[in-house]
């Protein structure tokens, strides 16, 4: 009987079964950032424990960094304090850090792959739920909390319970103007925001097979929004081609040997899954969220739901609460919803290909008069590459602000945020109440191309009419 | 290593918080994460919800001092911030009982010694009603017996055996366990192709 990639990676990294029945799992790559690590380092100090494998932890700064004026000390004392703490901790424990002075700085889930740190067959952990992104390479990648960051620093291990695997197979060809973001929003809408609890999602099928690594990352990134802590795609030629020549990827003969091993870690053709879901990619439309969790989305030609026409009272009250907060009318078409802000960026859609797709839409147009638009590259490398092809000029001349790399308005721990009840067309991953920095701010999640379309027209617009 | 602290029961009054999919951005909004310690988080728990919903239970003096948090489905979804269970614990919560919890929230809560147990929907509903009608009702959550006793009634609770054992033996803080016989960890590292040059 064949095995899944998850089983293979799990077995290889198992140190032992703990008395509790959990697995003690070795973590091959640990990434840290400024928000969830300071308390972990303090816990280590209080216990007089060191870092077990300092060479296997990499640090960068992303969540709090200003994207406009990055001079130190930051205008925000608290942010400066957090930056300084990370620098001090890395220095004290001998951990490599790519800070604001580095050409390699960026959102942790953008730079791991970009630098070739993220590789197939690895176990990866980071104190951030979107660590699932790294699964795009056929790694088993977990988001963890701060006490677990402490555990990984102290022991390079995690205590964790085994997961079941759900294979999600996307067939057919995506239509023009339909992107990986639309596929994952569709998946979450179908399976629900808690449908993935207890599962790792394995994405496959011809549509996923044809996707670039950037697109696979977008899909895996949002696994957590469907409740699945882990999402992955089996490694293939696309994966290997992406990795070749990256700074931390193996080189020459070693790369050839690595490829063989990576290939062997993919799920076997006769692997047995705990659940299988088939999705026809050819019928997926560009999608937009209308509510306050990422499962609440519809196709752009559809209407927002009406609580009166749903089956259960619980659903009706959830829809009612969401519509109230969003200020949307039950049963109204989602297209035409006015937006105040357009945000391009985040670990979901802040890569070069995302900026290219968005630039295609805004080229030669102007951002609508009432819209504030921000383009924020996911890393310094993405920013430089975009500038080399003139994308910054395309955005600037259309009226977008072109910013430095960071998480920015995805969670607004820096000065980039919504004001009051502003509505934001956003390429990020969460539309929770208050997520973008204003307790009453409203977020509509969509693909970067759809964000660009909304920026130009000032309202939710079917990007297919603008291609 | 820190002292082992077994957790086998939590007693106190309950605070009912209705709603599915209450995410960690609501439990503790991101702006309060701008700190290098967890201390002080307790006062900011549900900061925005409390302000926008005047009748939010965490704003209601009747529930001050409550130990047991009652919730519905998928509580703690969203971000991996441990700040969420930390904030609840620092507010005074000693145990959560709900229909279901998000996976990362559950793992985070467990590793800081905050038990999260599940119960059937109808049971949660009646417990919430009880706590709404009479906030001073004493309740006892037993991790050992997997039960909640309130107003003379016993509700069955569920908890994965691994988590129950960890709480009962005080080994919910995993660091010590993971460092035990460290040579085994080195041995696993030495068989990983990507650490040994393939
Ligand atoms: S871009 Fe957003 S989701 Fe991604 S790591 Fe940053 S804050 Fe988290």
């Amino acid at each position: 009987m064949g095995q899944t990639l998850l089983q293979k990676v799990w077995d290889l990294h198992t140190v032992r079964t703990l008395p509790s029945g959990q697995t003690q799992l070795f973590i091959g790559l640990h990434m840290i950032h400024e928000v969830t690590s300071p308390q972990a380092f303090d816990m280590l100090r209080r216990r007089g424990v060191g870092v077990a494998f300092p060479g296997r932890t990499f640090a960068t700064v992303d969540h709090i960094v200003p994207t406009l004026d990055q001079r130190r000390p930051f205008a925000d004392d608290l942010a400066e304090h957090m930056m300084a703490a990370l620098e001090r901790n890395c220095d004290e424990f001998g951990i490599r850090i790519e800070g604001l002075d580095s050409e390699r700085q960026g959102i942790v889930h953008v730079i791991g792959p970009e630098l070739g740190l993220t590789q197939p067959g690895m176990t990866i952990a980071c104190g951030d739920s979107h660590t699932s992104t790294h699964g795009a390479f056929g790694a088993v990648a977990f988001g963890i909390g701060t006490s677990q960051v402490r555990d990984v620093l102290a022991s390079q291990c995690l205590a964790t319970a085994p997961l079941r695997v759900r294979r999600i197979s996307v067939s057919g060809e995506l239509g023009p103007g339909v992107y990986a973001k639309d596929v994952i929003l569709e998946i979450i809408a179908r399976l629900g925001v808690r449908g993935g609890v207890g599962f790792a999602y394995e994405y496959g099928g011809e549509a996923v097979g044809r996707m670039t690594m950037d697109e696979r990352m977008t899909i895996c990134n949002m696994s957590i929004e469907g409740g699945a802590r882990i999402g992955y795609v089996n490694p293939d030629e696309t994966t290997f081609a992406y990795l070749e020549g990256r700074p931390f990827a193996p080189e020459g003969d070693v790369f050839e040997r690595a490829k063989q091993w990576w290939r062997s870690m993919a799920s076997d053709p006769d692997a047995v899954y705990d659940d299988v879901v088939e999705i026809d990619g050819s019928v997926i439309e560009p999608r937009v969220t209308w509510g306050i969790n990422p499962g609440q989305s519809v196709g752009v030609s559809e209407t927002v739901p009406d609580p009166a026409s749903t089956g259960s009272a619980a659903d009706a009250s959830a829809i009612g609460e969401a519509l109230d907060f969003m200020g949307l009318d039950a049963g109204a078409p989602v297209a035409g919803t006015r937006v105040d802000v357009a945000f391009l960026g985040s670990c979901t859609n802040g890569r070069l290909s995302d900026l290219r797709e968005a630039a295609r839409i805004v080229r030669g147009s102007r951002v609508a008069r009432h819209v504030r638009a921000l383009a924020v590259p996911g890393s310094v490398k993405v920013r430089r590459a975009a500038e080399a092809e003139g994308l910054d000029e395309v955005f600037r001349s259309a009226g977008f602000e072109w910013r430095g790399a960071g998480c920015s308005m995805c969670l607004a721990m820096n000065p980039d945020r919504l004001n009051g009840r502003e509505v934001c067309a956003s390429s990020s991953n969460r539309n929770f109440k208050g997520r973008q920095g204003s307790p009453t701010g409203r977020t509509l999640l969509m693909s970067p191309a759809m964000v660009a379309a909304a920026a130009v027209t000032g309202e939710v617009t079917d990007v297919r009419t603008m291609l | 290593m820190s002292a082992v602290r077994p957790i086998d029961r939590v007693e106190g009054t309950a605070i009912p918080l209705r709603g599915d999919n209450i995410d960690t951005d609501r439990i503790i909004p991101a702006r309060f994460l701008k700190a290098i310690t967890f201390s002080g988080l307790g006062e900011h728990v549900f900061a925005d919800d409390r302000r926008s919903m005047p009748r939010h239970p965490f704003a209601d003096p009747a529930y001050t001092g409550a130990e047991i948090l009652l919730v519905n489905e998928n509580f703690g979804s969203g971000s991996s911030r441990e700040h969420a269970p930390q904030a609840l614990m620092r507010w005074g919560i000693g145990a959560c009982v709900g229909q279901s919890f998000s996976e990362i929230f559950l793992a985070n809560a467990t590793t800081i010694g905050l038990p999260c147990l599940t119960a059937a929907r109808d049971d949660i509903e009646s417990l919430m009603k009880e706590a709404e009608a009479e906030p001073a009702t004493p309740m006892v959550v037993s991790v050992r017996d997997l039960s909640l006793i309130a107003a003379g009634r016993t509700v069955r609770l569920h908890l994965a055996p691994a988590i129950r054992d960890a709480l009962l033996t005080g080994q919910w803080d995993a660091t010590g366990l993971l460092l035990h016989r460290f040579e085994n960890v080195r041995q696993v590292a030495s068989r990983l192709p990507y650490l040994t040059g393939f």
Side-chain angles (χ1 to χ4, degrees):
Chain A
M1 198 172 76
Q3 286 190 306
T4 61
L5 176 139
L6 182 91
Q7 288 161 340
K8 296 182 197 184
V9 173
W10 200 276
D11 290 350
L12 186 67
H13 292 80
T14 295
V15 177
R16 64 173 173 144
T17 302
L18 297 170
S20 63
Q22 287 183 307
T23 306
Q24 176 172 359
L25 203 65
F26 186 85
I27 298 301
L29 173 66
H30 181 211
M31 300 201 70
I32 59 174
H33 59 83
E34 71 282 17
V35 178
T36 56
S37 68
Q39 298 88 345
F41 283 108
D42 280 347
M43 296 181 210
L44 285 188
R45 276 191 207 98
R46 271 203 302 275
R47 292 177 189 212
V49 178
V51 174
F53 290 77
R56 297 309 301 166
T57 293
F58 289 79
T60 192
V61 289
D62 50 11
H63 286 67
I64 56 149
V65 300
T67 57
L68 208 47
D69 178 0
Q70 303 193 326
R71 277 170 308 175
R72 302 282 300 275
F74 298 146
D76 177 349
D77 282 347
L78 290 172
E80 176 59 31
H81 208 53
M82 295 184 85
M83 272 294 284
L86 182 65
E87 288 163 345
R88 209 171 45 239
N89 288 329
C90 288
D91 188 48
E92 179 181 336
F93 290 97
I95 291 166
R96 177 175 195 129
I97 173 169
E98 305 294 350
L100 279 180
D101 50 352
S102 165
E103 282 292 308
R104 292 173 169 179
Q105 177 262 333
I107 304 174
V108 62
H109 312 308
V110 176
I111 70 160
E114 204 170 64
L115 295 174
L117 287 165
T118 303
Q119 294 172 15
M122 277 185 174
T123 44
I124 300 179
C126 172
D128 190 283
S129 59
H130 293 98
T131 307
S132 56
T133 313
H134 305 258
F137 291 78
V140 170
F142 301 87
I144 58 178
T146 297
S147 295
Q148 291 177 306
V149 171
R150 168 204 63 201
D151 289 347
V152 178
L153 289 169
S155 69
Q156 203 62 30
C157 293
L158 267 185
T160 191
L163 293 164
R164 292 180 293 161
V165 183
R166 171 179 291 145
R167 162 100 177 165
I168 301 175
S169 182
V170 187
S171 64
E173 200 162 335
L174 304 183
V178 179
Y179 297 90
K181 180 65 155 285
D182 303 307
V183 175
I184 187 65
L185 285 173
E186 168 89 23
I187 290 173
I188 301 166
R190 277 218 217 161
L191 302 178
V193 290
R194 52 178 179 267
V197 173
F199 283 103
Y201 280 176
E202 175 182 304
Y203 304 100
E206 18 170 349
V208 174
R210 266 196 303 270
M211 282 181 187
T212 63
M213 291 313 296
D214 283 10
E215 295 172 304
R216 294 177 187 181
M217 284 188 251
T218 300
I219 298 223
C220 290
N221 174 276
M222 288 189 70
S223 303
I224 184 66
E225 311 311 336
R229 201 172 172 185
I230 286 175
Y232 68 86
V233 176
N234 284 306
D236 61 9
E237 296 307 317
T238 305
T239 322
F240 311 148
Y242 178 100
L243 283 169
E244 193 160 11
R246 305 259 162 194
F248 289 90
E251 293 172 81
D253 287 353
V254 189
F255 187 77
E256 291 308 312
R257 290 206 300 274
K259 260 194 339 198
Q260 266 180 30
W261 181 68
W262 292 339
R263 233 179 247 127
S264 75
M265 294 305 282
S267 295
D268 297 322
D270 58 345
V272 178
Y273 297 94
D274 300 288
D275 190 31
V276 175
V277 172
E278 313 254 350
I279 292 195
D280 178 358
S282 66
V283 301
I284 298 176
E285 273 203 295
R287 294 188 75 84
V288 183
T289 61
W290 51 267
I292 52 173
N293 74 51
Q296 294 173 320
S297 73
V298 288
V300 65
S301 70
E302 297 179 303
T303 54
V304 304
D306 183 345
S309 56
T310 64
S312 82
D315 285 354
S317 95
I319 295 171
E321 184 197 356
L323 293 183
D324 257 7
F325 183 82
M326 297 300 291
L328 293 173
D329 295 328
V334 75
T337 305
R338 187 183 153 101
V339 308
D340 309 297
V341 178
F343 171 60
L344 278 175
S346 88
C347 59
T348 311
N349 282 125
R351 299 186 180 79
L352 183 60
S353 55
D354 299 313
L355 297 175
R356 279 187 189 144
E357 286 304 313
R360 245 175 56 167
I361 306 299
V362 304
R363 196 182 299 271
S365 301
R366 287 286 308 169
V367 167
R369 202 181 295 271
H370 66 274
V371 173
R372 175 159 68 96
L374 239 65
V376 188
S379 70
V380 175
K381 262 180 183 316
V382 168
R383 179 178 167 153
R384 299 270 184 262
E387 288 172 351
E389 19 187 289
L391 301 185
D392 57 326
E393 258 323 295
V394 174
F395 285 118
R396 274 207 199 91
S397 57
F400 270 82
E401 294 179 49
W402 178 250
R403 295 294 186 84
C407 295
S408 182
M409 211 190 270
C410 174
L411 98 163
M413 278 189 77
N414 73 350
D416 309 338
R417 55 185 56 225
L418 297 183
N419 300 313
R421 295 193 75 216
E422 279 180 335
V423 174
C424 179
S426 180
S427 71
S428 58
N429 45 52
R430 287 189 173 142
N431 52 345
F432 298 147
K433 289 182 179 177
R435 172 72 177 184
Q436 293 192 285
S438 162
T440 50
R442 296 170 282 174
T443 304
L444 308 173
L445 301 176
M446 57 189 86
S447 72
M450 284 282 289
V451 170
V456 168
T457 61
E459 58 185 42
V460 173
T461 303
D462 188 340
V463 68
R464 293 174 296 186
T465 62
M466 299 176 69
L467 290 175
Chain B
M1 294 290 106
S2 67
V4 169
R5 180 169 66 88
I7 298 173
D8 74 2
R9 56 197 260 135
V10 176
E11 294 189 47
T13 55
I15 174 167
L17 182 66
R18 289 182 182 274
D20 294 343
N21 307 316
I22 292 180
D23 58 73
T24 51
D25 276 86
R26 286 168 71 178
I27 301 174
I28 186 84
R31 62 183 182 280
F32 300 112
L33 275 46
K34 235 189 265 172
I36 59 171
T37 66
F38 289 130
S39 61
L41 283 180
E43 59 186 287
H44 301 304
V45 74
F46 291 107
D48 292 341
D49 279 3
R50 269 189 295 167
R51 203 167 333 136
S52 62
M53 308 177 196
R55 306 236 305 269
H56 195 276
F58 277 81
D60 185 342
Y63 297 111
T64 309
E67 289 262 354
I68 298 163
L69 174 62
L70 300 173
V71 295
N72 295 115
E73 288 267 23
N74 199 30
F75 183 75
S77 59
S79 111
S80 64
R81 64 189 69 159
E82 186 174 305
H83 306 68
Q86 288 277 3
L88 289 169
M89 220 161 109
R90 280 157 208 269
W91 186 86
I93 298 298
C96 304
V97 175
Q99 283 166 252
S100 67
F101 296 90
S102 107
E103 219 161 307
I104 301 183
F105 179 87
L106 178 64
N108 281 339
T110 307
T111 108
I112 64 172
L114 176 65
C116 296
L117 302 99
T118 57
R121 181 198 182 98
D122 293 351
D123 286 333
I124 295 287
E125 181 57 31
S126 67
L127 290 170
M128 283 185 166
K129 283 204 174 113
E130 182 70 48
E132 282 161 354
E134 191 40 79
T137 310
M139 300 196 184
V140 181
V141 169
S142 169
V143 174
R144 187 173 304 278
D145 303 336
L146 296 179
S147 66
L148 188 157
I149 300 174
R153 187 165 162 254
T154 303
V155 165
R156 269 198 40 193
L157 302 180
H158 302 269
L159 185 62
I163 297 178
R164 177 171 172 270
D165 285 356
L167 292 168
L168 289 177
T169 56
Q171 290 181 332
W172 37 270
D173 169 346
T175 315
L177 278 175
L178 297 175
L179 284 171
H180 180 70
R181 296 240 192 104
F182 198 67
E183 62 277 12
N184 293 339
V185 175
R186 294 201 184 284
Q187 207 173 4
V188 169
S190 72
R191 71 170 187 233
L192 296 173
Y194 59 86
L195 294 185
T196 56
F198 297 92

